[in-house]
Amino acid sequence: MHESAARLHPAWVVLGAVTVIFHLGLIFYGLTPALVSRPIHMALVLPWILIFAARTPFERGSGWLLTGLGIAACGYIAFNEEALSQQYGFIDTRLQMAIGVFLIVLALETARRAIGWPLPLVAALALLYGVFGAQVPGQFGHPGLPMQSFVGTLTIAEGGLWGKLTGVSVGVVAVFVIFGAVLNAGEAGRGFMNMASAFAGRLTGGAAKVSVISSALMGSISGSASANVASTGAITIPTMVRLGYPRSLAGAVEAVASSGGQIMPPLMGAGAFVMVELTGTPYTQIMAAALLPAILYFVTVWVGINAYATRHDLRPMATSEQPAPREVLITSLFFAVPFVILLERIFLGGVTPQYAASIAIFAGMALLCFDVTLAFSLRGFAGRMAEAMVIAGRQVAVIGAIIICASLVIGVLSLTGLGVKVTSGILSLSGEVLWPALLLTALACLVLGMEVPTTAAYVICVSVAGPALTALGLEPLLAHLFVFWFALLSTITPPVCGGVFIAAGMVGENWLKVAMKAMALGIGLYIIPLAMVANPDVIRLAFDPVGAVFDAVKIAVGLTGIAYGVIARRAWWLRAVLVIAGALVIFAV
C-alpha cells in the first residue's frame, strides 16, 4: 500500500494516533518500567514497517504474520515485566528462549525491511561473534557465554533490545519526530521556503542559497537527508534548472544542503538525544556545542555557491517568484510559534527537552486549524491532523527499527568486551598518537556510514572508537561530535551517497557528476570535524562564547580560502595558495 493511499485509510490514521498518544502519554503519565514501555514501542513499530511499507503480496502476508507474533512476543515481555526483572537476564524456560530468539530475528528483519541489508548484517555478524567468539583465537576471542545468558540479556533484561538506546528512541526521539511531523503537515515547510526566498532570493546564486537556508531550517526538524532532498528539492531543484544552473550543480546544492540537517540543532537526526544518553551531557549543552560547527558548514556551502558563480551565471530569483512580505510573515508563524515555545520552555522554563517538545506539539496541532490565509477550518484541521498522524507513525517506526537493531550490536559489544579490544587495536595502530587515531576513526566512520544510517553508524563507531579518542586526551563530547560528523560523510561521498542519488534522480543528471560537485560544495563536512579538534573552543559556546566565536570566525576564514581554492575559476597556483593558506589559518594559526 502506497503512503498516499494509506493516508486515506482510517486504520493507519488510528494507528498513527495510538503511536502519538502512547509516546506523549509517557511524558505526562510518569515513570513506566523499561520492560513495559520499550516492548510496546517495538510492537507499535512492527505494523508500519512490515505491513504499511510492504511492496509485494508475500511481504504483506508475511508482514501480517510477523506483526501478530511480534506483538504477542512484546506483550509477553511487557505483561511479565516484574517476574522477568527478577531473572537478571537469565532465561529459564524453553518458551522464553523461543521468544527471545524470535525477537532477535524479528528485530533484524524489521530493520532489513526498513532500510535494507547492511545494518542487519552488521548486527548478525555481531550476534555470530557473541555465539562463536569463544572459537576465535588470540586477543579477539572471548571466554564464551551460556546461551541462556546471552539471549536473555539481549531480550528479557534492560540490555540489547531494551537497552538505553531504545529508551532514547521511546522517550525523546519519538517525541521530536512527532513534532516534526506536525509541523510538516501544516504550513511550516512553506514558511521555511518563503523566509529563505525573502532573505536570499535576490542575491547572486539566489535559488541555490534559498535551497541552503530552507534545507537547513527543514532539516532541523526532519533530521533526514533523504526526506529533506525530496521535500525542499521538489521546489528548489526545478527553480535552479529553470534559471539556467547546471543540472549537476542544482542536484549537488540540494544534496549538500539537505545533508546538513542532520548536524543542525535541535533534532540532529536523533543524534543529539543519543549523545545525551551516551555522554551524560545535558541536551542544552549539546545544542550549544553543535550550533557553531553546523553554521560553519552552511557558511561553507554558501561560499561555495559564490565560488561557482565565478564559473557559471548563477542568476538571482525573479521578483515574480519571490513571496510577498505579508505571505512571508504569515507562513513564518507556522514554524516560529512552535519553535519559540520549544526553545523558551527548554532554556527559560527549565523543563526537559521532551516535555518542551510536547508543549510545542500541541501548539503546532492548534495551528493545523488554519491555512496559509489564516482561515479557520475544522475540515482542514482533520485532514492535516490525519496526515500528521500517518507521517509521525511511519517516521517513529523507521527510526525505532534502526535504533532497536543497533541496540543489538551495542549489547553484544558490552557482553563480549569486543569494544574494549577494538579500542586497544586503534590505540596500538595509531601508536597512541591522537591525529593518526582520528584518521583511523574517520575512515571507519566513512566505511560503516556508507551502508548504515548516520545515527546507527555513529552509535557503533563511537562505542569502539570513542574510548580510544578520549584516552588520547580528547574530551568526550568532542570525540562524539567528531564521530557523528564523519558518520554523515556517506550522504555525499561515493560510492554510496543516498542524498546525491535522490537529488540526481530528481534533476535527471548522472549521479557521479552530482557527487563530485557535492563533495566540493560540502568540503566543510570533511574539514570541520578536524577543525573542531584543532580549535576545541568552537564547541564551548555555552561556557566561553567569546573564545567559541573567535575560533568559529578563524575556521570560517580558512574554509572560505579552501572553498574558493577548490571551486573558483582562477589560476592553478592561486587556487593552491588559497587552499594552503586556508588550511594554515585553521590548523596552524
Side-chain angles (χ1 to χ4, degrees):
M1 184 184 296
H2 294 294
E3 188 167 332
S4 57
R7 282 176 181 168
L8 303 176
H9 201 293
W12 292 113
V13 177
V14 170
L15 183 59
V18 169
T19 300
V20 171
I21 291 168
F22 169 72
H23 289 96
L24 291 181
L26 288 176
I27 295 168
F28 295 100
Y29 176 74
L31 291 175
T32 303
L35 288 183
V36 174
S37 61
R38 296 171 193 180
I40 293 175
H41 176 68
M42 181 173 177
L44 289 169
V45 164
L46 298 176
W48 292 101
I49 305 300
L50 301 176
I51 301 172
F52 180 92
R55 293 178 291 270
T56 65
F58 173 77
E59 278 194 359
R60 193 165 296 115
S62 60
W64 277 101
L65 176 63
L66 290 172
T67 297
L69 292 173
I71 290 172
C74 292
Y76 176 86
I77 303 293
F79 280 116
N80 294 284
E81 172 268 331
E82 195 170 339
L84 292 174
S85 64
Q86 300 301 314
Q87 293 180 212
Y88 302 103
F90 190 87
I91 284 176
D92 58 10
T93 69
R94 289 184 177 178
L95 175 63
Q96 289 180 358
M97 178 61 79
I99 289 173
V101 172
F102 172 71
L103 282 170
I104 290 171
V105 172
L106 183 63
L108 297 177
E109 174 62 7
T110 305
R112 184 193 70 81
R113 293 200 189 186
I115 54 167
W117 282 102
L119 178 58
L121 280 177
V122 171
L125 288 172
L127 290 163
L128 287 173
Y129 175 78
V131 175
F132 299 110
Q135 316 303 320
V136 176
Q139 64 169 340
F140 282 97
H142 64 75
L145 297 162
M147 284 300 289
Q148 291 93 333
S149 290
F150 182 65
V151 175
T153 304
L154 294 178
T155 59
I156 67 167
E158 290 182 36
L161 292 176
W162 322 125
K164 289 182 177 180
L165 274 185
T166 305
V168 174
S169 180
V170 177
V172 188
V173 174
V175 179
F176 275 83
V177 169
I178 294 165
F179 175 57
V182 169
L183 292 191
N184 280 325
E187 301 292 345
R190 187 166 174 179
F192 288 144
M193 291 298 303
N194 285 343
M195 176 178 274
S197 298
F199 183 72
R202 296 178 177 84
L203 304 176
T204 299
K209 290 170 181 174
V210 167
S211 172
V212 172
I213 297 172
S214 59
S215 295
L217 293 169
M218 183 73 79
S220 69
I221 61 167
S222 77
S224 165
S226 300
N228 214 348
V229 172
S231 55
T232 59
I235 300 170
T236 59
I237 288 176
T239 302
M240 285 186 273
V241 171
R242 191 167 60 251
L243 288 170
Y245 291 42
R247 287 181 177 271
S248 56
L249 179 59
V253 166
E254 184 56 49
V256 170
S258 293
S259 297
Q262 292 194 66
I263 51 176
M264 175 61 77
L267 190 58
M268 292 172 64
F273 312 115
V274 176
M275 221 174 280
V276 169
E277 185 62 48
L278 295 181
T279 64
T281 305
Y283 173 70
T284 50
Q285 289 183 26
I286 286 177
M287 279 181 64
L291 183 61
L292 288 179
I295 291 172
L296 283 169
Y297 172 78
F298 287 106
V299 166
T300 308
V301 180
W302 188 288
V303 169
I305 292 167
N306 286 336
Y308 269 117
T310 67
R311 303 171 61 173
H312 309 287
D313 179 20
L314 303 186
R315 296 194 297 276
M317 293 175 66
T319 304
S320 60
E321 292 188 2
Q322 294 170 18
R326 184 173 186 276
E327 184 184 348
V328 174
L329 177 63
I330 291 173
T331 54
S332 296
L333 293 174
F334 285 93
F335 69 83
V337 171
F339 258 100
V340 167
I341 291 172
L342 172 72
L343 297 175
E344 187 277 332
R345 288 289 79 200
I346 290 174
F347 288 101
L348 299 180
V351 302
T352 62
Q354 55 267 44
Y355 187 87
S358 64
I359 301 300
I361 287 168
F362 293 127
M365 287 179 175
L367 289 171
L368 295 180
C369 295
F370 302 92
D371 64 13
V372 72
T373 64
L374 292 184
F376 180 86
S377 169
L378 286 178
R379 176 176 291 183
F381 170 78
R384 287 187 280 268
M385 181 64 89
E387 183 179 2
M389 296 301 102
V390 174
I391 293 171
R394 170 77 175 130
Q395 291 182 345
V396 166
V398 171
I399 293 178
I402 292 167
I403 288 182
I404 288 168
C405 188
S407 295
L408 285 174
V409 180
I410 304 308
V412 173
L413 290 175
S414 174
L415 279 168
T416 61
L418 180 60
V420 176
K421 293 165 186 171
V422 175
T423 297
S424 300
I426 292 173
L427 288 170
S428 176
L429 275 174
S430 64
E432 301 200 12
V433 179
L434 179 60
W435 284 93
L438 288 170
L439 296 176
L440 284 171
T441 303
L443 183 61
C445 291
L446 176 59
V447 171
L448 186 61
M450 281 182 180
E451 290 284 5
V452 174
T454 303
T455 303
Y458 152 66
V459 167
I460 295 167
C461 278
V462 87
S463 298
V464 295
L469 298 181
T470 53
L472 293 173
L474 218 57
E475 60 183 276
L477 181 55
L478 183 52
H480 279 254
L481 285 170
F482 178 87
V483 171
F484 186 71
W485 273 65
F486 271 110
L488 184 61
L489 278 184
S490 59
T491 57
I492 62 170
T493 308
V496 180
C497 35
V500 165
F501 286 147
I502 295 171
M506 293 176 73
V507 80
E509 180 59 277
N510 179 288
W511 71 268
L512 194 54
K513 290 182 180 178
V514 176
M516 296 309 291
K517 282 191 167 65
M519 290 169 69
L521 271 175
I523 196 165
L525 202 56
Y526 303 85
I527 296 173
I528 292 170
L530 299 169
M532 285 192 280
V533 176
N535 305 273
D537 281 350
V538 76
I539 71 164
R540 295 180 184 139
L541 186 63
F543 307 104
D544 181 12
V546 174
V549 171
F550 177 80
D551 273 5
V553 170
K554 188 174 80 163
I555 295 169
V557 170
L559 287 169
T560 298
I562 292 171
Y564 266 95
V566 169
I567 296 171
R569 180 167 286 168
R570 296 285 185 266
W572 70 266
W573 62 267
L574 179 58
R575 295 171 64 184
V577 167
L578 285 170
V579 170
I580 294 168
L584 288 173
V585 168
I586 294 172
F587 296 105
V589 174

